[in-house]
Amino acid sequence: MDLSTILSFLGVSMLLTIAPGPDNLFVVMQSVSYGKKAGLATAFGLCSGITVHTTAAALGISAILYHSNVAFQMIKYIGAFYLLYMAWQSLREARKPPKAEKVKKQSLPALYRRGIFMNVLNPKVSLFFLAFLPQFVTPDAGSPVSQMIVLGLLFMAQTIVIFSFIALFSGSFGRSLLEKPEVARAINYAKASIFSIIGVRLALMSK
């Protein structure tokens, strides 16, 4: 693949990744609530989900998802339900009595899986990759499928770097805040609100 094409792709990808969105907010809230390592585990989970969308786009599965309204709706509502479930969990944490206010630690594998679910259960991400990756495929550079897989891996690599910085910064900032019970309660309410908003938006979105 041409170097200028790769650099252009990375430039656009970085701008898209840095722009505020559900995944960024998800990493921030997990980092603030559970610490840097938790944020990194969540970030790596989200980025692992990119491999699923890349493969789907390269093999044409995303096209099937786009043309099948039943499949699109099913995945969309599963993802929305999962986000609303996490909002409910955050509300439960916020309503605990002061003695139990300390944030409950989450296992890193569980947070990693949560990141994967958050990413994979959003059908709009698959449609984004289906529309985005082919724009940087060069007809004379070999197999389009191979090129899309390479581009997907590059997108995942830059996302890991940016999300890791977000997780480290948010984790450092959040740990000092969580020492105060009233702040921890407010953060849990904020998490519940963010998860609810993202879940409802996902449930209401169209192709």
Side-chain angles (χ1 to χ4, degrees), residues 158-181:
Q158 62 85 27
T159 304
I160 288 174
V161 173
I162 292 174
F163 278 10
S164 294
F165 277 114
I166 292 174
L168 292 173
F169 176 79
S170 302
S172 300
F173 182 68
R175 186 166 293 277
S176 60
L177 291 177
L178 289 175
E179 292 176 357
K180 299 180 179 180

Side-chain angles (χ1 to χ4, degrees), residues 106-128:
Q106 300 286 310
S107 70
L108 297 184
L111 289 168
Y112 175 76
R113 290 192 297 270
R114 182 176 291 183
I116 293 177
F117 292 147
M118 169 78 175
N119 190 276
V120 172
L121 293 177
N122 187 347
K124 209 155 191 175
V125 179
S126 284
L127 301 184
F128 164 76

Side-chain angles (χ1 to χ4, degrees), residues 48-106:
S48 296
I50 292 175
T51 60
V52 176
H53 295 298
T54 299
T55 303
L59 298 180
I61 298 174
S62 292
I64 297 175
L65 180 65
Y66 179 78
H67 291 292
S68 173
N69 189 58
V70 174
F72 182 86
Q73 297 294 333
M74 182 177 67
I75 295 176
K76 180 182 75 170
Y77 286 124
I78 291 174
F81 175 81
Y82 181 71
L83 286 166
L84 293 174
Y85 170 73
M86 289 194 295
W88 176 72
Q89 283 189 319
S90 297
L91 281 177
R92 287 185 61 191
E93 291 179 9
R95 291 172 179 172
K96 286 180 181 178
K99 290 183 179 179
E101 192 66 52
K102 193 172 182 180
V103 177
K104 183 180 179 182
K105 278 286 183 182
Q106 300 286 310

Side-chain angles (χ1 to χ4, degrees), residues 29 32-33 90 94 174 177-178 182-193:
M29 297 312 299
V32 168
S33 297
S90 297
L177 291 177
L178 289 175
E182 64 275 10
V183 175
R185 186 182 292 111
I187 288 174
N188 277 316
Y189 278 124
K191 281 171 56 181
S193 299

Side-chain angles (χ1 to χ4, degrees), residues 34-48:
Y34 308 118
K36 299 177 187 176
K37 290 183 180 179
L40 288 171
T42 304
F44 275 88
L46 286 166
C47 294
S48 296

Side-chain angles (χ1 to χ4, degrees), residues 184-206:
R185 186 182 292 111
I187 288 174
N188 277 316
Y189 278 124
K191 281 171 56 181
S193 299
I194 290 172
F195 290 149
S196 297
I197 291 170
I198 297 174
V200 171
R201 284 185 60 187
L202 182 60
L204 297 177
M205 79 177 185
S206 58

